[in-house]
Amino acid sequence: MSTTSLSLDDIQALAQSALVANGCDADNAGAVADIVTRAERDGSHSHGLFRIPGYVKALRSGKVNGNARPRLSHRSPAILHVDGDGGFAPLAQATGLSALADAAHQIGVAALSLTNIHHFAALWPETEFLAERDLAGIACTAYMPSVAPAGSTEKLFGTNPISFAWPRPGKAPVCYDMATAAMAMGDVMIAARDGKSVPPGTGLDAEGNPTTDPALIAKGVLLPFGGYKGSAISLMVELLAAGLTGEAFSYEAAIRDNHDGGPPRGGEMVIALSPALLAGPGWEDHVEGFMDRLTALEGVRVPGARRHANRKDTGPRAINAELVETIRALI
Amino acid sequence: MSTTSLSLDDIQALAQSALVANGCDADNAGAVADIVTRAERDGSHSHGLFRIPGYVKALRSGKVNGNARPRLSHRSPAILHVDGDGGFAPLAQATGLSALADAAHQIGVAALSLTNIHHFAALWPETEFLAERDLAGIACTAYMPSVAPAGSTEKLFGTNPISFAWPRPGKAPVCYDMATAAMAMGDVMIAARDGKSVPPGTGLDAEGNPTTDPALIAKGVLLPFGGYKGSAISLMVELLAAGLTGEAFSYEAAIRDNHDGGPPRGGEMVIALSPALLAGPGWEDHVEGFMDRLTALEGVRVPGARRHANRKDTGPRAINAELVETIRALI
């Protein structure tokens, strides 16, 4: 794979230009470009520029509103809702997350439901936003069906990611973001693009047979991680992201989507919890005692540590050259 | 294994008698006996009478307060706290769950932290309580270290169960309760008692080697379900159950415990969410559309369905005869 060296500013500008050239206004393009740049900065290539062609497809087909004006409302002191106005998720998130953090600081726990959005990015930016403000965060979203519930060979669940973050004042937070599929479809797609195989248990082909060929899995079904227990977590994500927001379940998203290759309309649920209010003074030291034990174990990595280490490098990033050319051709 | 046939009333009376004979007052014994009976009713033997000898050990050693008077307080309209007064968890739960449900109905989301309790039971009674009141529920607790974080061979996490329930008005809720260990230690103990082996990946022996012998795993470490993803869920449970309550992490519980064989002091976190407030009118039908798709899949079982089916049988239960004799000898 040949690569092109791009600074983080170059990455941001490339994403912004591609989105603006295809109908996004500056606010919507900026919010998406910011998320894409932070993914590349952290080494999460599958949520970086790799997603731009899909974002552009959704703009070109008219499915997504590039001029969305998300609207925030309070349904109670602890319940916030953002109607994303049919746009991409990042501007809707930027509209709601500060209010969510404020509510959680005041009342101890708060929930933000996002509807009428198109989510095509990582979830850690949402939970990390909360953790940077001394809150624990949980975020979930559904997608289009690609995962067979445990015991089945038919897809019903989305890859259904869940993100969790825990604040560590003065340190990088604990923060993970993982598909409840055995592998994220983004990573399956990258493996297929790069001609690599994937581990057994990742998925089934279109006939329901096990395979390690990511291209066949992309046409078949993914499996949940961890068998029926992982399937139970995926079910929880589907119910929180769709049942609790009132937005589309993965199967509904697929029925309603125009299949332009961009993200379908869906919902997201973000929950924020205040350790200061729940556990009271001294919670930081109490948790650091536990984290000291965790990090002292040989072979254990704090979730998010690799991303946070990558982030310290502010230099240019090596981006797939073919991808860069593809994106430039969209401008 | 020879069995003794006991009615549900017999089971309740046996549990109650064993607890009262060892220092519980009627309220505390009744709350525990109720939880134990519901577990046997639902076929969850590992959380039924099997636990009574451990409860009794904790009373006899003086570790647990059999006359606990749990105290409920509101830290905000959405944050409830129950100090369990050093008793077993069930009376503390009974003290806080109705208020939690009321808060979630009013404000949409609420959290209940329980501290100074000794939890030795299933978690589904808590979340099912919420689901029966049209709320989604999440509950977590930690325990003593028995699980090695992914990548490690040293135990740090408890079996760290998580329970999730989703309401289905007029139907049994979706409700699961699972250890984030590959197997619950209760089930490992039952397998060891019954001389059965356990699946590969369940745990390691005391030297860190893989084994399928549950007796060796009981002296070694369990592994998380689903590799590093399951380990991430277990970490979330530990942080919610201890970091967010301010109560003992699993490792702290072990340091402080008197190792009498009964449950250590710990905390529990229960979160309740209102679909009616979050998703709005029509949420039930929306979710049932999804549930129809899920239940139509061959090979898929709704979490909790087996327990709810067992529950319909109000007749006597076949209980391990040796266990019944052991408990009778404690009275």
Side-chain angles (χ1 to χ4, degrees), chain A residues 25-95:
Chain A
D25 64 21
D27 284 354
N28 281 274
V32 172
D34 180 53
I35 291 287
V36 163
T37 305
R38 287 159 69 190
E40 294 289 358
R41 176 198 65 187
D42 285 9
S44 303
H45 300 301
S46 63
H47 287 112
L49 289 170
F50 179 67
R51 297 283 177 175
I52 291 292
Y55 280 117
V56 168
K57 284 174 186 168
L59 288 167
R60 288 187 174 178
S61 77
K63 181 171 73 185
V64 168
N65 178 7
N67 302 288
R69 289 288 165 268
R71 287 175 296 272
L72 171 68
S73 59
H74 282 69
R75 291 178 173 171
S76 86
I79 300 290
L80 304 161
H81 173 245
V82 172
D83 177 331
D85 194 25
F88 294 120
L91 193 62
Q93 292 157 353
T95 303

